[in-house]
């Protein structure tokens, strides 16, 4: 990843919310296809981007910039995949195959994840899959923070921050995996 892109990212994450939102579409265009490179070569910069996204109203971002918001979701899932790939504790928590869809109830955000017990991976992205075991629905900010570590999956469910449709057993297994991920997201 070029030093120019890294410098632009670092400058943007230090801007206020409105300026950051204005910069994100161009930055995400530049990052597209290079997500893994950013994560592996510049983990601190990646963590800064993810951290700053918690300051942004995700529902508004999806309404204003749906393509960029999907690109952000793909970047986020690339980070989760890398985190799982490099962390035996998270891999050990993967005990079942689980496919889940995410759908925001305050904007057009949709996503999915696939937990693969055989390969010990967690992959996801924008858009939904047709054969999901579970569907998680709630505000876009809560769904995003489930992935970034801002919302504990069990506490969030117990406090009715999001809803779960599907097998309670699969939901519990997914919560265990997501809990390990949230515990290991870099700050």
């Amino acid at each position: 990843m070029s030093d120019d892109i890294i410098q632009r990212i670092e400058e943007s994450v230090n801007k206020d919310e409105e300026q950051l939102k204005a910069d994100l579409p161009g930055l995400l265009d530049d990052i597209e296809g290079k997500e893994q490179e950013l994560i592996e070569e510049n983990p601190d910069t990646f963590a800064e981007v993810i951290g700053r996204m918690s300051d942004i109203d995700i529902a508004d971002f999806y309404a204003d910039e749906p393509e960029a918001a999907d690109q952000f979701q793909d970047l986020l899932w690339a980070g989760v995949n890398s985190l799982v790939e490099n962390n035996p504790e998270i891999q050990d928590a993967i005990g079942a195959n689980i496919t889940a869809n995410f759908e925001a109830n305050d904007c057009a955000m949709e996503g999915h994840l696939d937990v693969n017990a055989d390969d010990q991976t967690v992959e996801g992205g924008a858009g939904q899959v047709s054969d999901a075991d579970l569907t998680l629905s709630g505000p876009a900010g809560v769904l995003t923070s489930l992935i970034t570590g801002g919302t504990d999956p069990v506490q969030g469910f117990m406090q009715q921050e999001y809803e779960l449709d599907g097998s309670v057993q699969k939901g519990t297994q997914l919560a265990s995996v997501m809990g390990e991920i949230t515990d290991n997201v870099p700050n």
Side-chain angles (χ1 to χ4, degrees):
M1 177 144 303
S2 77
D3 291 339
D4 178 54
I5 294 173
I6 298 302
Q7 182 178 352
R8 286 183 37 232
I9 292 170
E10 289 173 354
E11 289 171 359
S12 293
V13 297
N14 290 316
K15 294 180 178 179
D16 69 29
E17 180 181 343
E18 288 305 311
Q19 292 173 318
L20 176 61
K21 279 174 61 175
D23 286 358
L24 277 172
L27 290 173
L28 290 166
D29 278 342
D30 290 344
I31 294 169
E32 190 169 29
K34 303 174 192 142
E35 294 89 353
Q36 202 63 36
E37 184 181 344
L38 170 66
I39 294 160
E40 291 173 5
E41 294 178 9
N42 303 283
D44 293 339
T45 301
F46 172 73
E48 285 181 67
V49 171
I50 300 305
R52 273 309 307 275
M53 287 304 287
S54 65
D55 298 336
I56 291 178
D57 184 319
I58 299 294
D60 284 347
F61 186 55
Y62 258 90
D64 296 341
E65 299 288 346
E67 186 177 320
D70 282 348
Q71 289 172 314
F72 168 71
Q73 196 175 160
D74 290 339
L75 173 64
L76 180 60
W77 282 111
V80 167
N81 185 42
S82 179
L83 183 64
V84 172
E85 191 176 278
N86 295 302
N87 191 312
E89 290 176 16
I90 300 172
Q91 293 172 357
D92 289 345
I94 300 173
N97 294 326
I98 306 165
T99 305
N101 282 328
F102 293 87
E103 50 187 40
N105 57 19
D106 58 352
C107 68
M109 180 181 128
E110 293 184 334
H112 67 277
L113 71 79
D114 179 41
V115 177
N116 186 309
D118 298 329
D119 297 336
Q120 293 186 309
T121 59
V122 177
E123 297 178 346
Q128 294 194 333
V129 295
S130 60
D131 57 349
D133 300 309
L134 304 168
T135 299
L136 287 74
S137 57
V142 170
L143 297 177
T144 301
S145 70
L146 280 169
I147 303 163
T148 62
T151 298
D152 177 273
V154 174
Q155 292 301 319
F157 179 74
M158 299 298 280
Q159 294 172 354
Q160 299 179 341
E161 293 178 33
Y162 69 93
E163 294 179 11
L164 176 71
D165 182 26
S167 161
V168 173
Q169 179 183 11
K170 291 268 188 182
T172 303
Q173 292 167 329
L174 179 61
S176 174
V177 173
M178 294 304 295
E180 280 297 323
I181 291 170
T182 60
D183 289 346
N184 288 282
V185 170
N187 299 348

